[in-house]
Amino acid sequence: MGRLVPAVTRALDILELFLEGDGTLSAPDVIRRLQLPRTTVHELLTTLAARSYVVPVPEQPGRYRLGVRTYQLGSRYAEQLDLAAEGRQVAREIADTCGETVHVAVLEDTDVIYIAKVDSTHAVRMVSAAGRRLPAHCTSVGKMLLASLTESELESRFAGREFTAMTSNSITDPDVLREALAGIRARGIAVEHQESNPDVSCVAAPVRDRAGRVVAALSISVPMIRWSDARECELAELAAKGAADLSARLGHRSAR
C-alpha cells in the first residue's frame, strides 16, 4: 500500500465534516474540529472552493457549503451502482457469518423477485434461485417491502386479487396482512414462519437508497431444524446489519 498524502487526507477530512450538522461550515469550525493550523485550513478551503467542491454561503459570510462538483461525483457513483451486484457481495458476507441462505429481493407489483442469493454452507439448504418470483405476502422480504408502501398503494396493488396460499401458514386475509405489516413497520424487521415453504422460516430487513426509499429487502432463511427463538433474534440483528451495509453502498445515510 502506498503512502497517504497528508494534504489530500486533510482536504477529504474537511469534506466529510459536511456530512454532519446543518451542512455548512466556517474556517473556525474546521480548525476546532480537526485541530489543524489556521493557515492550513484557509489554504485547503480556498483550494476546494477554486475547484467547486465547496462554495461560500451568500447569506452567511465566512461559511461554506458543498459545491456542485461533489454532486456531480455522487451522481456518477450512483449511475454506476448495480443493486444485484452490490447485493451479492453483501449477501456473501452475511452468509459467511451465519452459514445460512441469504437473499436480496425487490418488489414488482404484488410479487417479489430475488435478484441475489448466496447458499447456506450446511448440508440442508433451501431450493431457490435468483430470478425466482414469489407472492410478496408469503415471504419475509415481500412483507418487508409491502410494509414500505402507503395504504393507498397497497389498495391499488391488491384490488380485486386473491391472496394465494403457498402453505397452511400463508396469510390469505387482507386484514391480517395489514396487521402484520403494521407490526413490521414498528419493529423494522419482517419474519416469516413457514409461509412460503413448510420447512423454512426467514427474517428480513429493508434496504434503502440514498433518498431513504426502500428499494429492496435482505433476508436470511433457515430450515426449521435449525430455527429457534434465540436464533431468530440473532439473525434479525444480522439481517438488519446486512441491509444497513447494502443501504450504505447505495448511498443511504442512516439518522444518528
Side-chain angles (χ1 to χ4, degrees):
M1 182 176 178
R3 184 180 70 89
L4 298 180
V5 180
V8 176
T9 299
R10 290 168 180 169
L12 294 174
D13 286 341
I14 290 175
L15 290 176
E16 290 173 2
L17 288 178
F18 286 95
L19 296 174
E20 305 171 6
D22 65 358
T24 69
L25 290 169
S26 66
D29 292 333
V30 177
I31 293 168
R32 184 181 68 256
R33 293 167 69 175
L34 296 182
Q35 296 295 298
L36 293 175
R38 178 178 178 276
T39 301
T40 299
V41 169
H42 281 283
E43 289 176 347
L44 288 170
L45 286 172
T46 298
T47 302
L48 290 170
R51 299 292 295 269
S52 298
Y53 285 94
V54 301
V55 295
V57 180
E59 63 276 15
Q60 299 179 31
R63 299 192 71 80
Y64 295 85
R65 61 176 172 80
L66 291 176
V68 67
R69 201 64 174 162
T70 55
Y71 174 79
Q72 291 170 331
L73 288 174
S75 297
R76 176 55 59 89
Y77 172 74
E79 289 170 2
Q80 295 174 342
L81 283 176
D82 182 330
L83 177 57
E86 298 292 335
R88 281 192 294 272
Q89 290 186 33
V90 173
R92 168 60 62 193
E93 294 169 5
I94 298 301
D96 286 346
T97 300
C98 66
E100 303 293 354
T101 300
V102 180
H103 292 98
V104 177
V106 296
L107 186 65
E108 184 173 288
D109 197 15
T110 59
D111 292 338
V112 288
I113 297 176
Y114 293 95
I115 62 172
K117 177 203 175 186
V118 176
D119 277 316
S120 165
T121 57
H122 293 282
V124 178
R125 304 179 180 181
M126 283 190 62
V127 179
S128 60
R132 188 181 184 190
R133 177 189 294 262
L134 290 178
H137 66 280
C138 294
T139 68
S140 62
V141 282
K143 290 190 292 182
M144 189 74 257
L145 291 164
L146 292 176
S148 71
L149 303 178
T150 65
E151 185 62 32
S152 61
E153 288 173 329
L154 284 170
E155 289 287 348
S156 63
R157 289 179 188 239
F158 285 99
R161 296 176 185 247
E162 293 186 1
F163 284 70
T164 304
M166 296 187 68
T167 73
S168 59
N169 286 353
S170 299
I171 296 175
T172 57
D173 185 321
D175 291 333
V176 174
L177 178 62
R178 288 191 189 92
E179 183 177 350
L181 297 183
I184 290 168
R185 293 186 193 102
R187 186 183 177 191
I189 291 288
V191 180
E192 170 210 334
H193 291 300
Q194 303 166 279
E195 295 169 46
S196 62
N197 183 322
D199 301 315
V200 174
S201 284
C202 311
V203 294
V207 176
R208 300 179 184 275
D209 65 9
R210 59 178 177 168
R213 296 169 298 206
V214 176
V215 294
L218 180 145
S219 71
I220 303 174
S221 303
V222 184
M224 292 307 299
I225 58 172
R226 295 196 295 271
W227 185 263
S228 66
D229 290 344
R231 188 65 167 154
E232 177 183 323
C233 292
E234 176 187 346
L235 294 180
E237 291 184 9
L238 190 56
K241 178 186 180 302
D245 289 347
L246 181 50
S247 297
R249 287 172 180 247
L250 300 180
H252 177 65
R253 285 202 306 126
S254 59
R256 295 190 175 183

